[in-house]
Each structure stands twice: as C-alpha cells, then as structure tokens.
Amino acid sequence: MSQQNQDVTEAELALLQALWDSGPATIRQLVERVYQQGGTSVYATVQKLLDRLEGKGCVERDRSGPVHVFRASIDREELIGRRLRAVADSLCGGSLSPILTHLVEGKGISEVERRELRALIDQLDRKRKR
C-alpha cells in the first residue's frame, strides 16, 4: 500500500480537522486547538503525528519561517472518499450500493437530503451523456 493511500488514525484525523476548520497552524497552535493543554510530551506527540501525516501526503509543511507552519493538503471530501472506497472494497466487493442503501434506510433521509441526492444523480447522468 502506498504512503498516500494509507488511512489516517483518529489522532491524526483530529489534527486534520483542526487544520480544515481553522486553517494553517504551527505545532503549538495545534496543541492548543486540539488538546487545550501544553507540555513537552503533547508537543512531541503532535509533532510526530504531523510527520506521519506529511509522509501520507495529507499535510504540507512551510519551512520558510523560523517556525514551521502546517496546512492540510487533502480536503475533507477526498478523505471521505478514500475511507468509503476502502470500506466498499473490504466489505462490499468494491460496490458502494450496499453502503448507500444502509445509510439511507438505517437513518432515513430528510426531504432536503432527498432533493440534494436527486439533483446529484441528475447531474451525474447529464455528465455521462456528454
């Protein structure tokens, strides 16, 4: 499995969410955003998690200043797609239909969500016809 296709851990995901929600940040800023406490061990943990995320292609580091600044290089939608594809591959033989069916039937969807889903299907159909 390539580094870029590896899934992220829950701890790594917490850092990505902080970067998605608040934008680029230093390690110290991420420690405050995610853990609300400082300390050498927390700082070192966040630094290690960011190193792993950088290796997976999920964050980029700006080394131009005295303090490194990190930003997400993968967006939330791309990670959702990766994770859903991995679940589909491992549980459903690659098909997304069982996952979609379970989500829709299990929780149910609102009228607004139904309209959005219909509009998405119509948009995909139009693209395929071109």
Side-chain angles (χ1 to χ4, degrees), residues 79-109 117:
L79 185 59
I80 289 169
R82 279 188 194 181
R83 286 185 155 195
L84 285 176
R85 180 56 55 202
V87 169
D89 290 345
S90 65
L91 295 178
C92 307
S95 174
L96 289 174
S97 293
I99 295 169
L100 295 171
T101 300
H102 177 76
L103 290 172
V104 170
E105 289 179 348
K107 179 186 169 215
I109 58 175
L117 187 55

mmCIF file of all heavy atoms in Angstrom, residues 79-109 117:
data_model
loop_
_atom_site.group_PDB
_atom_site.id
_atom_site.type_symbol
_atom_site.label_atom_id
_atom_site.label_comp_id
_atom_site.label_asym_id
_atom_site.label_seq_id
_atom_site.Cartn_x
_atom_site.Cartn_y
_atom_site.Cartn_z
ATOM 1 N N LEU A 79 -10.800 12.734 1.780
ATOM 2 C CA LEU A 79 -10.611 11.722 2.825
ATOM 3 C C LEU A 79 -11.875 10.882 2.996
ATOM 4 O O LEU A 79 -11.794 9.661 3.160
ATOM 5 C CB LEU A 79 -10.202 12.364 4.150
ATOM 6 C CG LEU A 79 -9.877 11.371 5.264
ATOM 7 C CD1 LEU A 79 -8.730 10.438 4.867
ATOM 8 C CD2 LEU A 79 -9.541 12.107 6.548
ATOM 9 N N ILE A 80 -13.027 11.514 2.926
ATOM 10 C CA ILE A 80 -14.288 10.764 2.995
ATOM 11 C C ILE A 80 -14.333 9.754 1.863
ATOM 12 O O ILE A 80 -14.658 8.578 2.070
ATOM 13 C CB ILE A 80 -15.507 11.717 2.922
ATOM 14 C CG1 ILE A 80 -15.627 12.529 4.206
ATOM 15 C CG2 ILE A 80 -16.794 10.932 2.667
ATOM 16 C CD1 ILE A 80 -16.620 13.675 4.115
ATOM 17 N N GLY A 81 -13.981 10.183 0.670
ATOM 18 C CA GLY A 81 -13.973 9.287 -0.482
ATOM 19 C C GLY A 81 -13.023 8.123 -0.305
ATOM 20 O O GLY A 81 -13.362 6.973 -0.596
ATOM 21 N N ARG A 82 -11.822 8.401 0.203
ATOM 22 C CA ARG A 82 -10.846 7.336 0.460
ATOM 23 C C ARG A 82 -11.399 6.303 1.432
ATOM 24 O O ARG A 82 -11.279 5.096 1.220
ATOM 25 C CB ARG A 82 -9.570 7.910 1.083
ATOM 26 C CG ARG A 82 -8.591 8.516 0.156
ATOM 27 C CD ARG A 82 -7.340 8.827 0.962
ATOM 28 N NE ARG A 82 -6.445 9.708 0.271
ATOM 29 C CZ ARG A 82 -5.285 10.105 0.761
ATOM 30 N NH1 ARG A 82 -4.900 9.715 1.959
ATOM 31 N NH2 ARG A 82 -4.501 10.904 0.067
ATOM 32 N N ARG A 83 -11.971 6.821 2.528
ATOM 33 C CA ARG A 83 -12.468 5.907 3.559
ATOM 34 C C ARG A 83 -13.659 5.088 3.068
ATOM 35 O O ARG A 83 -13.745 3.894 3.341
ATOM 36 C CB ARG A 83 -12.834 6.683 4.824
ATOM 37 C CG ARG A 83 -11.620 7.133 5.592
ATOM 38 C CD ARG A 83 -11.998 7.784 6.888
ATOM 39 N NE ARG A 83 -10.884 7.658 7.823
ATOM 40 C CZ ARG A 83 -10.986 7.873 9.107
ATOM 41 N NH1 ARG A 83 -12.136 8.211 9.639
ATOM 42 N NH2 ARG A 83 -9.926 7.755 9.881
ATOM 43 N N LEU A 84 -14.572 5.724 2.355
ATOM 44 C CA LEU A 84 -15.723 4.984 1.830
ATOM 45 C C LEU A 84 -15.289 3.946 0.808
ATOM 46 O O LEU A 84 -15.813 2.828 0.788
ATOM 47 C CB LEU A 84 -16.741 5.940 1.217
ATOM 48 C CG LEU A 84 -17.572 6.737 2.211
ATOM 49 C CD1 LEU A 84 -18.476 7.722 1.484
ATOM 50 C CD2 LEU A 84 -18.388 5.824 3.105
ATOM 51 N N ARG A 85 -14.326 4.301 -0.032
ATOM 52 C CA ARG A 85 -13.829 3.348 -1.019
ATOM 53 C C ARG A 85 -13.168 2.163 -0.318
ATOM 54 O O ARG A 85 -13.350 1.016 -0.713
ATOM 55 C CB ARG A 85 -12.840 4.047 -1.964
ATOM 56 C CG ARG A 85 -12.235 3.186 -3.041
ATOM 57 C CD ARG A 85 -13.205 2.470 -3.947
ATOM 58 N NE ARG A 85 -14.141 3.339 -4.588
ATOM 59 C CZ ARG A 85 -15.307 2.920 -5.074
ATOM 60 N NH1 ARG A 85 -15.666 1.658 -5.006
ATOM 61 N NH2 ARG A 85 -16.145 3.750 -5.637
ATOM 62 N N ALA A 86 -12.418 2.409 0.741
ATOM 63 C CA ALA A 86 -11.766 1.323 1.486
ATOM 64 C C ALA A 86 -12.802 0.398 2.113
ATOM 65 O O ALA A 86 -12.662 -0.829 2.077
ATOM 66 C CB ALA A 86 -10.835 1.895 2.557
ATOM 67 N N VAL A 87 -13.876 0.978 2.679
ATOM 68 C CA VAL A 87 -14.941 0.156 3.259
ATOM 69 C C VAL A 87 -15.640 -0.642 2.166
ATOM 70 O O VAL A 87 -15.907 -1.839 2.324
ATOM 71 C CB VAL A 87 -15.958 1.035 4.029
ATOM 72 C CG1 VAL A 87 -17.193 0.244 4.414
ATOM 73 C CG2 VAL A 87 -15.309 1.622 5.275
ATOM 74 N N ALA A 88 -15.935 0.005 1.057
ATOM 75 C CA ALA A 88 -16.587 -0.692 -0.055
ATOM 76 C C ALA A 88 -15.715 -1.843 -0.552
ATOM 77 O O ALA A 88 -16.215 -2.942 -0.805
ATOM 78 C CB ALA A 88 -16.884 0.284 -1.198
ATOM 79 N N ASP A 89 -14.419 -1.598 -0.672
ATOM 80 C CA ASP A 89 -13.515 -2.646 -1.146
ATOM 81 C C ASP A 89 -13.450 -3.816 -0.172
ATOM 82 O O ASP A 89 -13.505 -4.973 -0.587
ATOM 83 C CB ASP A 89 -12.106 -2.088 -1.374
ATOM 84 C CG ASP A 89 -12.026 -1.158 -2.573
ATOM 85 O OD1 ASP A 89 -12.960 -1.157 -3.408
ATOM 86 O OD2 ASP A 89 -11.022 -0.418 -2.674
ATOM 87 N N SER A 90 -13.359 -3.526 1.124
ATOM 88 C CA SER A 90 -13.170 -4.606 2.094
ATOM 89 C C SER A 90 -14.463 -5.321 2.471
ATOM 90 O O SER A 90 -14.436 -6.520 2.739
ATOM 91 C CB SER A 90 -12.481 -4.083 3.359
ATOM 92 O OG SER A 90 -13.308 -3.167 4.035
ATOM 93 N N LEU A 91 -15.587 -4.631 2.472
ATOM 94 C CA LEU A 91 -16.841 -5.248 2.934
ATOM 95 C C LEU A 91 -17.837 -5.560 1.823
ATOM 96 O O LEU A 91 -18.708 -6.404 2.004
ATOM 97 C CB LEU A 91 -17.537 -4.335 3.952
ATOM 98 C CG LEU A 91 -16.828 -4.102 5.269
ATOM 99 C CD1 LEU A 91 -17.635 -3.143 6.130
ATOM 100 C CD2 LEU A 91 -16.608 -5.413 6.011
ATOM 101 N N CYS A 92 -17.733 -4.872 0.700
ATOM 102 C CA CYS A 92 -18.793 -4.958 -0.307
ATOM 103 C C CYS A 92 -18.272 -5.288 -1.700
ATOM 104 O O CYS A 92 -18.934 -4.976 -2.701
ATOM 105 C CB CYS A 92 -19.560 -3.633 -0.358
ATOM 106 S SG CYS A 92 -20.172 -3.060 1.228
ATOM 107 N N GLY A 93 -17.094 -5.868 -1.794
ATOM 108 C CA GLY A 93 -16.551 -6.216 -3.096
ATOM 109 C C GLY A 93 -16.371 -5.034 -4.015
ATOM 110 O O GLY A 93 -16.444 -5.171 -5.233
ATOM 111 N N GLY A 94 -16.165 -3.863 -3.456
ATOM 112 C CA GLY A 94 -15.940 -2.663 -4.253
ATOM 113 C C GLY A 94 -17.189 -1.860 -4.573
ATOM 114 O O GLY A 94 -17.093 -0.764 -5.104
ATOM 115 N N SER A 95 -18.365 -2.387 -4.252
ATOM 116 C CA SER A 95 -19.615 -1.697 -4.574
ATOM 117 C C SER A 95 -20.005 -0.716 -3.473
ATOM 118 O O SER A 95 -19.984 -1.049 -2.281
ATOM 119 C CB SER A 95 -20.738 -2.723 -4.752
ATOM 120 O OG SER A 95 -21.974 -2.054 -4.937
ATOM 121 N N LEU A 96 -20.393 0.485 -3.876
ATOM 122 C CA LEU A 96 -20.875 1.481 -2.911
ATOM 123 C C LEU A 96 -22.368 1.331 -2.616
ATOM 124 O O LEU A 96 -22.865 1.875 -1.632
ATOM 125 C CB LEU A 96 -20.589 2.893 -3.421
ATOM 126 C CG LEU A 96 -19.133 3.322 -3.411
ATOM 127 C CD1 LEU A 96 -18.977 4.678 -4.087
ATOM 128 C CD2 LEU A 96 -18.583 3.369 -2.006
ATOM 129 N N SER A 97 -23.087 0.591 -3.450
ATOM 130 C CA SER A 97 -24.544 0.471 -3.286
ATOM 131 C C SER A 97 -24.958 -0.035 -1.903
ATOM 132 O O SER A 97 -25.862 0.546 -1.291
ATOM 133 C CB SER A 97 -25.131 -0.439 -4.360
ATOM 134 O OG SER A 97 -24.998 0.164 -5.613
ATOM 135 N N PRO A 98 -24.331 -1.095 -1.368
ATOM 136 C CA PRO A 98 -24.752 -1.551 -0.037
ATOM 137 C C PRO A 98 -24.532 -0.494 1.052
ATOM 138 O O PRO A 98 -25.336 -0.374 1.974
ATOM 139 C CB PRO A 98 -23.878 -2.778 0.217
ATOM 140 C CG PRO A 98 -23.445 -3.241 -1.123
ATOM 141 C CD PRO A 98 -23.357 -2.008 -1.970
ATOM 142 N N ILE A 99 -23.457 0.270 0.919
ATOM 143 C CA ILE A 99 -23.186 1.321 1.900
ATOM 144 C C ILE A 99 -24.244 2.408 1.812
ATOM 145 O O ILE A 99 -24.806 2.833 2.823
ATOM 146 C CB ILE A 99 -21.784 1.916 1.685
ATOM 147 C CG1 ILE A 99 -20.726 0.847 1.955
ATOM 148 C CG2 ILE A 99 -21.555 3.138 2.559
ATOM 149 C CD1 ILE A 99 -19.332 1.236 1.525
ATOM 150 N N LEU A 100 -24.523 2.865 0.599
ATOM 151 C CA LEU A 100 -25.534 3.907 0.407
ATOM 152 C C LEU A 100 -26.905 3.446 0.878
ATOM 153 O O LEU A 100 -27.629 4.185 1.552
ATOM 154 C CB LEU A 100 -25.592 4.336 -1.057
ATOM 155 C CG LEU A 100 -24.332 5.012 -1.586
ATOM 156 C CD1 LEU A 100 -24.413 5.183 -3.095
ATOM 157 C CD2 LEU A 100 -24.107 6.334 -0.894
ATOM 158 N N THR A 101 -27.258 2.210 0.530
ATOM 159 C CA THR A 101 -28.550 1.665 0.943
ATOM 160 C C THR A 101 -28.656 1.626 2.456
ATOM 161 O O THR A 101 -29.664 2.034 3.032
ATOM 162 C CB THR A 101 -28.742 0.247 0.358
ATOM 163 O OG1 THR A 101 -28.690 0.342 -1.062
ATOM 164 C CG2 THR A 101 -30.060 -0.346 0.783
ATOM 165 N N HIS A 102 -27.603 1.158 3.106
ATOM 166 C CA HIS A 102 -27.623 1.080 4.569
ATOM 167 C C HIS A 102 -27.764 2.463 5.203
ATOM 168 O O HIS A 102 -28.548 2.651 6.142
ATOM 169 C CB HIS A 102 -26.345 0.402 5.081
ATOM 170 C CG HIS A 102 -26.265 0.354 6.568
ATOM 171 N ND1 HIS A 102 -27.008 -0.535 7.312
ATOM 172 C CD2 HIS A 102 -25.574 1.109 7.446
ATOM 173 C CE1 HIS A 102 -26.759 -0.324 8.598
ATOM 174 N NE2 HIS A 102 -25.894 0.665 8.696
ATOM 175 N N LEU A 103 -27.030 3.437 4.679
ATOM 176 C CA LEU A 103 -27.103 4.787 5.233
ATOM 177 C C LEU A 103 -28.495 5.386 5.068
ATOM 178 O O LEU A 103 -29.031 6.004 5.981
ATOM 179 C CB LEU A 103 -26.057 5.691 4.578
ATOM 180 C CG LEU A 103 -24.608 5.396 4.929
ATOM 181 C CD1 LEU A 103 -23.670 6.232 4.056
ATOM 182 C CD2 LEU A 103 -24.346 5.662 6.404
ATOM 183 N N VAL A 104 -29.077 5.198 3.894
ATOM 184 C CA VAL A 104 -30.390 5.783 3.612
ATOM 185 C C VAL A 104 -31.486 5.075 4.407
ATOM 186 O O VAL A 104 -32.350 5.712 5.001
ATOM 187 C CB VAL A 104 -30.683 5.740 2.095
ATOM 188 C CG1 VAL A 104 -32.119 6.106 1.806
ATOM 189 C CG2 VAL A 104 -29.735 6.674 1.361
ATOM 190 N N GLU A 105 -31.470 3.749 4.413
ATOM 191 C CA GLU A 105 -32.520 3.010 5.109
ATOM 192 C C GLU A 105 -32.335 3.029 6.616
ATOM 193 O O GLU A 105 -33.312 3.074 7.355
ATOM 194 C CB GLU A 105 -32.561 1.561 4.616
ATOM 195 C CG GLU A 105 -33.099 1.437 3.210
ATOM 196 C CD GLU A 105 -33.118 -0.002 2.711
ATOM 197 O OE1 GLU A 105 -32.513 -0.882 3.357
ATOM 198 O OE2 GLU A 105 -33.735 -0.226 1.658
ATOM 199 N N GLY A 106 -31.102 2.995 7.072
ATOM 200 C CA GLY A 106 -30.833 2.937 8.504
ATOM 201 C C GLY A 106 -31.233 4.193 9.247
ATOM 202 O O GLY A 106 -31.930 4.158 10.243
ATOM 203 N N LYS A 107 -30.807 5.322 8.756
ATOM 204 C CA LYS A 107 -31.080 6.597 9.414
ATOM 205 C C LYS A 107 -32.285 7.285 8.814
ATOM 206 O O LYS A 107 -32.972 8.044 9.474
ATOM 207 C CB LYS A 107 -29.845 7.488 9.301
ATOM 208 C CG LYS A 107 -30.025 8.854 9.926
ATOM 209 C CD LYS A 107 -28.833 9.722 9.657
ATOM 210 C CE LYS A 107 -29.164 11.140 10.068
ATOM 211 N NZ LYS A 107 -28.575 12.134 9.255
ATOM 212 N N GLY A 108 -32.514 7.015 7.548
ATOM 213 C CA GLY A 108 -33.533 7.779 6.842
ATOM 214 C C GLY A 108 -32.948 9.106 6.429
ATOM 215 O O GLY A 108 -31.958 9.561 6.987
ATOM 216 N N ILE A 109 -33.521 9.694 5.406
ATOM 217 C CA ILE A 109 -33.026 10.997 4.970
ATOM 218 C C ILE A 109 -34.185 11.973 4.887
ATOM 219 O O ILE A 109 -35.324 11.594 4.624
ATOM 220 C CB ILE A 109 -32.271 10.907 3.628
ATOM 221 C CG1 ILE A 109 -33.140 10.331 2.515
ATOM 222 C CG2 ILE A 109 -31.007 10.068 3.765
ATOM 223 C CD1 ILE A 109 -32.458 10.332 1.149
ATOM 224 N N LEU A 117 -29.873 14.594 -3.175
ATOM 225 C CA LEU A 117 -29.447 13.326 -3.770
ATOM 226 C C LEU A 117 -29.975 13.194 -5.200
ATOM 227 O O LEU A 117 -29.239 12.800 -6.108
ATOM 228 C CB LEU A 117 -29.914 12.152 -2.901
ATOM 229 C CG LEU A 117 -29.427 10.772 -3.290
ATOM 230 C CD1 LEU A 117 -27.916 10.711 -3.377
ATOM 231 C CD2 LEU A 117 -29.939 9.744 -2.277
#
